[in-house]
Amino acid sequence: MLTAESIAVDPPAEGEIVDPVAWFDTPGSFELEIGCGKGGFLLDRALANPGVRLLGIEWANKYYKYCADRMARRGVSNVRVMRTDARFFVMNHLRPGCVDVLHLYHPDPWPKKRHHKRRLIQPDFVDAAVRVLNARGRWLVQSDHAEYFQEMIDLLSSHEGLAEVPWEEAEASSGPGWQGTNFEIKYVREGREIHRAAYVARA
Ligand SMILES: C[S@@+](CC[C@H](N)C(=O)[O-])C[C@H]1O[C@@H](n2cnc3c(N)ncnc32)[C@H](O)[C@@H]1O
């Protein structure tokens, strides 16, 4: 029987390089969602795509626990959840070339200028994220924050390891009844515009 404990994965030890597919009993490609929150996207994508292995990383303990418990209750065997800082994990622990799709939806915008240095998307993180993508790996980014989105796509679009592709072409949306991530649903209700971009690693 699936339990939250069997869905949850401990962060790697210091200096350890991991290949997350070893944590799954099911075969398939490997996708990573950074900042999975309550796990709405993770759950829907896992149910709609049993041939995909998904790892959600979440820093906030209460959302991480909620998410692991939710996956266990729904019996999804192709998801794992880890509580850690995704920036540190990607930059220091993930085996290069192991990610087929990287999902990054509504990363915290840290709107005050003095907090911009806390933003996930920085040049060193983008370099590391490109390194962990496989030869035709995809990276999808979505945000409601126009200024942060522009900063992100400026960095991603000018990166020599990435080429922008139409969002629809990236084919990494969720199931047919998909309504959006938790934050997307909230912001669409408020009438905010949602910005999206998709990239493929240059082989
Ligand atoms: C604005 S929420 C978006 C949640 C979800 N992606 C959605 O669209 O509904 C951002 C999430 O990223 C998590 N987060 C922020 N920085 C993180 C980091 N460095 N590593 C892992 N999770 C992080 C936050 O705790 C939060 O749950």
Side-chain angles (χ1 to χ4, degrees):
M1 199 188 80
L2 276 176
T3 61
E5 289 70 33
S6 61
I7 299 279
V9 182
D10 287 334
E14 193 181 339
E16 191 185 357
I17 303 295
V18 294
D19 192 343
V21 297
W23 302 328
F24 293 81
D25 308 319
T26 52
S29 55
F30 173 67
E31 302 189 4
L32 173 65
E33 187 188 9
I34 290 181
C36 57
K38 293 180 177 175
F41 172 78
L42 213 52
L43 178 63
D44 200 73
R45 181 136 177 93
L47 289 171
N49 300 277
V52 169
R53 297 178 272 202
L54 286 136
L55 172 66
I57 300 192
E58 174 52 51
W59 176 248
N61 197 33
K62 91 174 169 181
Y63 294 136
Y64 152 77
K65 283 186 168 167
Y66 179 94
C67 187
D69 189 53
R70 186 178 190 184
M71 302 302 148
R73 275 188 281 116
R74 294 297 301 272
V76 283
S77 55
N78 55 334
V79 173
R80 294 291 179 271
V81 182
M82 182 189 287
R83 183 190 174 225
T84 196
D85 172 7
R87 174 180 166 80
F88 195 81
F89 178 74
V90 169
M91 292 185 70
N92 297 287
H93 291 296
L94 206 45
R95 181 178 72 74
C98 72
V99 178
D100 292 289
V101 186
L102 175 56
H103 303 276
L104 179 62
Y105 304 135
H106 302 270
D108 290 332
W110 295 105
K112 290 182 181 157
K113 198 165 173 49
R114 70 175 188 280
H115 291 155
H116 283 189
K117 57 181 176 296
R118 298 184 190 174
R119 288 176 168 176
L120 176 74
I121 296 291
Q122 312 273 352
D124 57 352
F125 176 79
V126 175
D127 286 343
V130 171
R131 268 198 308 277
V132 300
L133 287 178
N134 71 25
R136 294 294 292 165
R138 289 163 282 153
W139 185 353
L140 284 95
V141 184
Q142 179 171 303
S143 177
D144 53 286
H145 194 280
E147 184 265 322
Y148 185 28
F149 180 75
Q150 188 59 50
E151 187 178 295
M152 291 193 273
I153 63 165
D154 284 350
L155 275 172
L156 271 58
S157 300
S158 61
H159 198 286
E160 58 183 14
L162 294 173
E164 190 167 1
V165 290
W167 178 264
E168 296 70 28
E169 208 178 284
E171 290 172 22
S173 62
S174 214
W178 176 240
Q179 303 291 308
T181 73
N182 293 85
F183 274 72
E184 180 179 351
I185 293 168
K186 179 174 125 156
Y187 291 139
V188 165
R189 268 197 211 119
E190 290 172 8
R192 287 204 218 176
E193 189 181 350
I194 305 295
H195 309 275
R196 299 183 177 91
Y199 297 84
V200 63
R202 289 183 196 273

